[in-house]
Amino acid sequence: MCNRKKLTLLFGVILLVCTLFTGCSTKKDSINKLNNTAWDITGAKPEYLTEWPDNVFTDTIVQPQNGTVDYVLDCTDFGKYAIFIKDISLEESNQYVEELKSNGYSEMHATANDTAVGLVLESDKAYLSVSYSDSILGILITIREGTK
């Protein structure tokens, strides 16, 4: 009986490892490409705004119906632009993500805990790194290569 338990445990570990490798392979190349793009955010100073910015980056997403624009980080030299929305609830941010998905974005990766959510979305125009909690929504927009 002891050998059977060891064999069952070994089989379980092998199955878990195989499952992890299978799950990790989904869209891994696209995520690795985003992670390996070198850029320096330390030089970007927050630019506080009162209106939704109009540029090639924000043209790739719809403006949230809730919340107020707080600030942006202009990293356009590196092909990135981040916008932060304040005074937006967790539920309103969830609704906004669903609106992005209904407008052509698909989910590449997502994680969440009791206080925050993080997602990577993609469309034929851009990649979005979205994070939000109960009072703020952050969206990092990266234009896809060959799209302008």
Side-chain angles (χ1 to χ4, degrees), residues 26-27 31 106-111 118-121 128 130:
T26 308
K27 297 188 180 184
I31 292 174
S106 60
E107 187 175 297
M108 294 175 64
H109 183 73
T111 189
L119 304 108
V120 177
L121 305 173
L128 304 179
V130 181

Side-chain angles (χ1 to χ4, degrees), residues 78-98:
F78 297 99
K80 299 178 186 314
Y81 189 85
I83 184 164
F84 295 86
I85 310 297
K86 62 182 179 178
D87 304 324
I88 186 165
S89 72
L90 195 62
E91 180 57 36
E92 291 167 337
S93 293
N94 278 327
Q95 291 171 355
Y96 178 65
V97 168
E98 291 307 313

Side-chain angles (χ1 to χ4, degrees), residues 4-23:
R4 186 174 181 168
K5 284 183 181 179
K6 287 181 183 178
L7 186 58
T8 303
L9 180 60
L10 180 61
F11 179 72
V13 170
I14 292 171
L15 183 62
L16 178 63
V17 170
C18 290
T19 303
L20 287 174
F21 285 125
T22 302

Side-chain angles (χ1 to χ4, degrees), residues 50-61:
T50 56
E51 295 181 3
W52 183 256
D54 183 21
N55 58 47
V56 67
F57 293 89
T58 57
D59 286 348
T60 64
I61 60 174

